[in-house]
Amino acid sequence: GENVEQHPSTLSVQEGDSAVIKCTYSDSASNYFPWYKQELGKRPQLIIDIRSNVGEKKDQRIAVTLNKTAKHFSLHITETQPEDSAVYFCAASKQAGNMLTFGGGTRLMVKP
Amino acid sequence: GAGVSQTPSNKVTEKGKYVELRCDPISGHTALYWYRQSLGQGPEFLIYFQGTGAADDSGLPNDRFFAVRPEGSVSTLKIQRTERGDSAVYLCASSLGGADTQYFGPGTRLTVL
C-alpha cells in the first residue's frame, strides 16, 4: 500500500520567517495531496490541496509544490505568525473520494 | 452549515467492554470515513462508506472492530472486547460523493483502562 514520509518532525522558526515541510510518497498512482493543520485537541483542518495535474498551488501565505517524477510534495508558509503554530499533516490519495494515507506530522512552532 | 459531529467527545471504558462511537456527517455528503489517531501520529484509515455500504474496510485492525451506516447518513463504529491498545482518538470525516476534500469531525477520545 501507499506510504507517506514527512520531514521534519519538528520545526521552530522566528515570526516572519518561512517554513517548509516536505513529504514523499511511494505509490505513483496517487493523484491527490492535501495538507491539514491540527491544533492541540482540535480536528484536522484542510489548509490547501493539490492534484497531480498541477505542479504548484498558492493561497495567500501558503503554497504547495508537487514533483510527480520524484514523488514528493512540499508545503511552504511565508511570513509565519504565532497562530501558524500547530501540527501539520500531509496526505496522499489514489483517487477521488478514496482513503487518505497520512504522514507522521510536523510540529511547527513560531516564536514571536 | 454544520460540520461533522462526533459523540461522545470522550469515552473511558474498562478492558473487555463494548463501545460505540457515533459520527454525523455533513448533510448531503455520501462518503464517510473513519480514522484512528494515536498520540503523536497521523490519522490511520479504518473504513470508508459510500452510501450505506462499506466501500473499503481494509484498515480495520481485526474482527473486534465493526462499523455500520444503515441509512447512508449517521455511522457507528463498534469495538468489542476493548483492549488498552485501542486507546486513541477516533476521527470521522465526510466528503461529497466523487469529490476529494474530506472534512473531519472533532474526534472521540477513547481511553481503555
Side-chain angles (χ1 to χ4, degrees):
Chain A
E2 173 69 279
N3 183 51
V4 178
E5 299 283 342
Q6 183 171 346
H7 300 282
S9 56
T10 60
L11 179 59
S12 181
V13 299
Q14 207 66 38
E15 182 178 0
D17 288 350
S18 295
V20 180
I21 303 170
K22 300 181 179 181
C23 289
T24 60
Y25 61 99
S26 61
D27 192 337
S28 56
S30 289
N31 60 11
Y32 172 65
F33 307 92
W35 287 87
Y36 285 85
K37 175 183 180 182
Q38 188 174 33
E39 298 178 10
L40 189 63
K42 301 290 181 64
R43 72 186 74 196
Q45 292 199 310
L46 180 75
I47 54 171
I48 196 167
D49 57 11
I50 191 167
R51 288 163 176 76
S52 60
N53 59 345
V54 175
E56 184 173 358
K57 183 176 178 181
K58 190 173 181 180
D59 182 4
Q60 299 183 339
R61 298 186 296 109
I62 295 173
V64 57
T65 58
L66 172 65
N67 183 326
K68 287 188 294 183
T69 304
K71 291 190 284 188
H72 67 68
F73 56 112
S74 300
L75 177 71
H76 304 253
I77 306 174
T78 58
E79 301 172 20
T80 54
Q81 302 167 2
E83 50 266 38
D84 294 330
S85 297
V87 179
Y88 291 80
F89 291 99
C90 63
S93 173
K94 276 198 278 192
Q95 62 186 54
N98 209 344
M99 55 171 266
L100 295 172
T101 300
F102 284 84
T106 297
R107 180 173 300 279
L108 174 65
M109 294 169 285
V110 180
K111 295 178 287 186
Chain B
V4 178
S5 62
Q6 292 185 245
T7 55
S9 55
N10 281 283
K11 176 71 177 178
V12 180
T13 191
E14 294 180 341
K15 180 176 180 295
K17 299 290 188 183
Y18 168 82
V19 297
E20 289 190 351
L21 313 178
R22 176 186 167 109
C23 172
D24 281 88
I26 293 171
S27 178
H29 280 194
T30 60
L32 185 146
Y33 313 78
W34 283 99
Y35 294 84
R36 178 167 70 173
Q37 186 174 27
S38 299
L39 192 63
Q41 298 182 20
E44 292 180 305
F45 169 75
L46 296 176
I47 186 169
Y48 153 50
F49 289 89
Q50 183 60 257
T52 60
D56 184 349
D57 64 358
S58 62
L60 294 177
N62 52 60
D63 61 6
R64 296 187 296 106
F65 289 75
F66 188 70
V68 296
R69 196 186 184 198
E71 298 179 356
S73 178
V74 170
S75 176
T76 304
L77 178 65
K78 308 180 181 198
I79 310 174
Q80 298 177 324
R81 304 183 303 279
T82 51
E83 300 177 357
R84 292 192 180 89
D86 298 335
S87 296
V89 175
Y90 288 81
L91 293 165
C92 175
S94 70
S95 72
L96 207 53
D100 299 316
T101 304
Q102 294 184 26
Y103 297 90
F104 281 83
T108 293
R109 181 176 298 280
L110 175 66
T111 303
V112 182
L113 301 177

